[in-house]
Amino acid sequence: MGLADKLEEANKRNKPLNWCPYQDMYDNLTPENQKALDDAWAKGLSANIILSAPRSEGIKSSNESIRAHRSGVCKCLKK
């Protein structure tokens, strides 16, 4: 495999510029779990509480991605 092939392969793995880890996690939840997270946002629960629920279900997320999404500085909100 030449350099051009390796660069093309690496480019296929890149995420879009507006990729948001929280939104990616959210989009892969069941509608029931999405509603639970929406309700948690509406209740004003802390990022730590919101993070603990998906993690207890084996879903990966981070405080940073949740806080960025919640505060409106994540990339998905800049589309």
Side-chain angles (χ1 to χ4, degrees):
M1 179 183 286
L3 180 61
D5 294 329
K6 289 180 182 179
L7 289 169
E8 182 62 30
E9 187 63 31
N11 188 44
K12 290 178 185 176
R13 292 189 304 261
N14 280 345
K15 294 177 175 71
L17 293 177
N18 63 350
W19 183 77
C20 169
Y22 176 84
Q23 191 64 49
D24 187 52
M25 181 258 322
Y26 182 88
D27 290 345
N28 287 296
L29 295 174
T30 65
E32 179 182 285
N33 287 338
Q34 287 178 348
K35 182 178 180 337
L37 278 180
D38 292 341
D39 291 346
W41 288 120
K43 291 176 185 176
L45 298 179
S46 74
N48 288 335
I49 291 172
I50 292 173
L51 177 63
S52 67
R55 278 190 177 168
S56 72
E57 297 291 319
I59 300 166
K60 293 183 179 181
S61 192
S62 72
N63 279 336
E64 293 81 16
S65 66
I66 288 175
R67 286 192 178 107
H69 190 84
R70 184 175 219 174
S71 64
V73 297
C74 66
K75 294 178 182 180
C76 75
L77 299 174
K78 296 180 181 181
K79 291 180 184 178

